[in-house]
Amino acid sequence: QVQLVESGGGLVQAGGSLRLSCAASGNIVSINTMGWYRTALGKQRELVAGMANDGSTYYADSVKGRFTISGDNAKKTVFLQMNSLKPEDTAVYYCNARITNRWNTRVDAWGLGTQVTVSS
């Protein structure tokens, strides 16, 4: 089994910053990608930022230039630095990891989510 534990959400005023952290543990041989998704009220879950094990990154257009994803594959952690936050960034943010376990099976793991609320 794979566990993802998120931290760092909270309430912040527009223009402020937050840093989300996610640590993975359990039956993990290798991590293929780690990333952050979010679900806003009444909207579908969307990919915010992702990082592959070759270091390549992806950002949704809505967060480019404001959010930065980073991580340490060896420590099985990923971070999301969120700057210049806007009220439309308000959502539950979920950590995701696509891993290969010791049975050579690819697993898509999710954290429980952390609430980010940006007040105007």
Side-chain angles (χ1 to χ4, degrees):
Q1 221 171 3
V2 178
Q3 296 83 36
L4 300 181
V5 178
E6 302 128 327
S7 61
L11 173 64
V12 65
Q13 287 189 330
S17 298
L18 284 173
R19 186 172 189 250
L20 305 183
S21 301
C22 174
S25 62
N27 182 1
I28 299 171
V29 171
S30 63
I31 296 177
N32 305 309
T33 64
M34 290 190 81
W36 293 92
Y37 287 71
R38 68 185 180 188
T39 304
L41 197 62
K43 295 187 178 181
Q44 290 188 327
R45 186 174 294 189
E46 64 169 344
L47 176 60
V48 176
M51 172 178 279
N53 57 10
D54 63 0
S56 59
T57 57
Y58 163 86
Y59 294 96
D61 287 343
S62 58
V63 306
K64 281 180 183 175
R66 301 188 298 121
F67 290 12
T68 303
I69 190 169
S70 62
D72 187 329
N73 216 7
K75 294 182 180 179
K76 302 182 183 65
T77 55
V78 67
F79 308 97
L80 186 67
Q81 178 66 42
M82 305 185 293
N83 298 329
S84 302
L85 282 161
K86 304 176 181 180
E88 50 263 43
D89 294 318
T90 295
V92 178
Y93 285 70
Y94 297 90
C95 180
N96 169 267
R98 294 189 174 129
I99 66 97
T100 300
N101 64 20
R102 63 175 178 263
W103 297 301
N104 204 30
T105 300
R106 292 194 175 186
V107 175
D108 202 7
W110 293 90
L112 296 178
T114 185
Q115 176 71 46
V116 170
T117 302
V118 184
S119 63
S120 56

